[in-house]
Each structure stands twice: as C-alpha cells, then as structure tokens.
Amino acid sequence: MRLDKFLKVTRIIKRRTVAKELADNGNIVVNGDVKKSSYDVKKGDIFEIKYFNKNIKVKVLDLPPESLKKEFIDDYIEII
C-alpha cells in the first residue's frame, strides 16, 4: 500500500492529498530515510511525520484493508 493511502486509511492524516504533499515535501521519514508518497509501506515501518507544529511517530503493526472502520485502527498502527 502506498504511503499516502496508508496515512489516509489509518486516519493519521485526513486527506490523501495532504499526505501526498507532506511526503513529497520531505516531511515524512520512514525508518530514518525521507520517503515520497509512492513508498510501499511494510509491516514494522516506523514513520516520523512533521505536521504543522507537531511531530508524530507511528509504528506499522500490520497493513490494513482498502477501507477501515475507526474502531479497528489500533490493530494496524501504534502511536509512539
């Protein structure tokens, strides 16, 4: 699953276009490397996201399906 889509599906970022802009501007670091929105997310990845004044650190526990109900988000990500 693409990085921008993963961030949208897991509701870390509400809009995919915003996630794409953040990634393409170098505001998302995955496992220590800056990644673009087309990066293929893998289980165990750790994201560091610079979003406005906040820094968000997230660990991927598993890859979600194409759509995800809000109550199941904790099965797929862990906020560090």
Side-chain angles (χ1 to χ4, degrees):
M1 178 178 289
R2 288 173 53 105
L3 177 58
D4 55 351
K5 185 166 186 173
F6 178 84
L7 294 172
K8 161 72 169 88
V9 169
T10 56
R11 297 187 174 132
I12 295 170
I13 297 176
K14 295 191 189 273
R15 292 191 196 137
R16 188 170 176 176
T17 54
V18 173
K20 182 177 180 354
E21 283 181 28
L22 285 172
D24 292 344
N25 290 330
N27 292 316
I28 300 178
V29 176
V30 181
N31 300 326
D33 295 324
V34 174
K35 299 293 182 185
K36 298 288 184 192
S37 60
S38 60
Y39 172 76
D40 193 26
V41 176
K42 297 167 191 63
K43 188 175 176 180
D45 281 347
I46 296 178
F47 303 143
E48 294 178 46
I49 305 164
K50 295 175 190 155
Y51 190 53
F52 292 109
N53 315 9
K54 296 188 266 182
N55 286 333
I56 304 168
K57 196 168 184 180
V58 178
K59 181 177 182 182
V60 178
L61 301 176
D62 204 356
L63 296 178
E66 295 295 313
S67 63
L68 184 62
K69 291 187 177 183
K70 190 174 184 177
E71 55 267 16
F72 298 120
I73 291 174
D74 291 340
D75 295 339
Y76 297 96
I77 62 169
E78 175 185 351
I79 305 293
I80 302 173

